[in-house]
Amino acid sequence: MQQLGQLSSASPTPPAGLTRRRKAALIVQMLFRDGNGIPLTRMPEKLQAALAHELGAIRLVDKSTVVQVAAEFLEELDSIGLVAPGSTLQALDALGDQISPDLAERLRAEIIAAQNGDPWPMVTALSEDDLVTLMEAESTHIGAIVLSKLPVAKAAEVLGKLPGERARRISFGMSQTSSVSPDAVLKIGKALMRDHCEKSTIAFNRGPDARLGAILNTSPAATREDVLTSLNGDDPKFADDVRKNIFTFADIATRIKGTDIPVCIRAVDADELNVAISAALAGSDDEAAGAEYILANMSQRMAGSIREAVDEMGPVKRKTGEAAMNVVTTAIRTLAEDGGITYQSTDDEDDE
């Protein structure tokens, strides 16, 4: 198929009076004559149309010309070591389910829209949730036109997700779309593509409060408190949002269910846990409460073993202890992010 595309799209070279486009048409005719169907639909529509015109122009061709064209085509095939898809659309077909279905659908829509100047493939390729948002933001008349352009199954899903009154108004609006001109539909599609399909790219996939919270989670306690105190003076709301994204050893006793403690410490190395418990017991009241909470919610044998290890190792440096406590809290945060456990709400959050 790629060779046919090259033959039909390249500039004419007329040995024996034949252009490359006419030669491609002859090859197609030979294949059809021998009963070998080929997937012309994989070629751009402009090339399909060009081949159709060339096939229509062919009348009688002498045998020597047919043999010469076939030999030239076979020689070109033999010289090729690798055939790539040749276009993004064909590449998407070749990739199959190796890339995200949503991305593949969006890329196809963008390519088709660029090739044909038609914005509607991009609009109709929006997700159902995005289409619901679009229909709630636009007028009922625009919503009715969008609904009319959607595939039936997708239109039914979108209509079912719309609020009842909005769905009824848009459904009634379809009765008023019979006289809409193709030019108006094209202009509407372009406006919708510009407003709803061309989404701006953002540099970060998480908010500033979550990003700063993640940094402060593993910062030394003194640094963390200094930053939060400073933020509270500059922007109390932002400081509060950052605090909600922080989970430290001092939060264990109030934010983790006792029954979740065994699974929380399962992934923590025993020596790291011993150091963390030792440092926490010698740290702030909240850190000590976290250490006692962990010990109280594990087997008595294991808790006793940890207390013995803590007594034997003696005091640990604060920096070493904070690193070990971070190992424990990182394991807990990972579990929470993966859905393995759920944080308990603090009293302050409940009051909100």
Side-chain angles (χ1 to χ4, degrees):
M1 286 303 301
Q2 186 174 352
Q3 287 72 37
L4 287 176
Q6 291 169 346
L7 280 172
S8 60
S9 61
S11 58
T13 56
L18 291 178
T19 65
R20 292 178 67 83
R21 204 172 265 187
R22 182 63 54 85
K23 291 177 183 180
L26 283 173
I27 295 295
V28 171
Q29 183 60 44
M30 281 185 259
L31 291 170
F32 283 163
R33 182 194 63 189
D34 293 339
N36 297 312
I38 55 177
L40 293 177
T41 54
R42 289 169 54 187
M43 294 173 61
E45 288 188 359
K46 288 182 179 179
L47 291 185
Q48 293 182 52
L51 281 174
H53 288 306
E54 293 294 336
L55 282 169
I58 294 173
R59 295 291 184 268
L60 297 174
V61 182
D62 62 85
K63 184 176 294 186
S64 63
T65 300
V66 171
V67 171
Q68 179 185 351
V69 171
E72 184 180 329
F73 185 64
L74 288 173
E75 183 179 351
E76 187 166 344
L77 284 177
D78 287 340
S79 68
I80 294 173
L82 173 68
V83 178
S87 74
T88 306
L89 282 175
Q90 292 178 22
L92 289 173
D93 290 337
L95 287 170
D97 60 359
Q98 300 303 308
I99 64 173
S100 161
D102 290 339
L103 174 61
E105 184 178 6
R106 180 169 61 81
L107 288 175
R108 283 192 180 92
E110 289 176 357
I111 294 164
I112 293 170
Q115 287 178 348
N116 303 331
D118 181 6
W120 281 103
M122 286 188 68
V123 177
T124 57
L126 289 171
S127 69
E128 293 169 4
D129 290 340
D130 285 341
L131 285 166
V132 168
T133 301
L134 181 156
M135 291 188 183
E136 290 180 327
E138 302 291 341
S139 68
T140 54
H141 181 66
I142 299 297
I145 290 174
V146 173
L147 199 65
S148 301
K149 295 290 288 185
L150 292 175
V152 172
K154 193 168 188 177
E157 290 292 333
V158 171
L159 196 64
K161 290 186 174 185
L162 283 166
E165 179 61 24
R166 188 68 176 174
R168 288 189 289 272
R169 286 180 176 275
I170 289 176
S171 298
F172 174 73
M174 291 185 70
S175 67
Q176 301 174 322
T177 59
S178 56
S179 60
V180 180
S181 69
D183 186 54
V185 171
L186 181 62
K187 289 180 179 178
I188 290 169
K190 288 181 178 179
L192 293 175
M193 181 178 70
R194 182 178 62 252
D195 294 342
H196 298 278
C197 300
E198 298 174 356
K199 297 178 180 178
S200 59
T201 302
I202 58 174
F204 306 105
N205 58 9
R206 293 194 298 170
D209 53 340
R211 298 199 305 274
L212 182 56
I215 294 169
L216 294 180
N217 269 324
T218 54
S219 298
T223 300
R224 181 168 54 246
E225 291 307 316
D226 184 53
V227 169
L228 288 173
T229 300
S230 177
L231 281 178
N232 198 55
D234 296 333
D235 189 340
K237 175 65 169 60
F238 181 56
D240 187 52
D241 290 339
V242 171
R243 283 192 183 89
K244 292 176 181 177
N245 284 280
I246 293 175
F247 179 86
T248 66
F249 206 94
D251 298 309
I252 291 175
T254 55
R255 302 291 304 280
I256 302 300
K257 296 177 183 176
T259 52
D260 285 337
I261 290 297
V263 70
C264 288
I265 62 174
R266 189 175 299 158
V268 180
D269 178 80
D271 290 338
E272 291 278 15
L273 181 61
N274 292 343
V275 173
I277 295 293
S278 177
L281 288 173
S284 68
D285 290 344
D286 288 337
E287 289 173 345
E292 293 292 354
Y293 188 73
I294 290 174
L295 293 169
N297 285 283
M298 61 172 62
S299 70
Q300 292 184 357
R301 181 187 60 78
M302 185 175 180
S305 176
I306 291 175
R307 289 187 187 278
E308 289 178 8
V310 167
D311 289 339
E312 289 176 3
M313 75 174 65
V316 298
K317 293 181 179 179
R318 181 62 187 177
K319 185 175 181 179
T320 303
E322 285 193 340
M325 286 191 283
N326 280 338
V327 170
V328 177
T329 54
T330 297
I332 294 173
R333 286 194 299 271
T334 300
L335 270 173
E337 290 167 3
D338 292 343
I341 62 170
T342 303
Y343 291 134
Q344 295 187 111
S345 297
T346 64
D347 292 338
D348 289 343
E349 289 173 338
D350 290 338
D351 292 341
E352 292 177 1

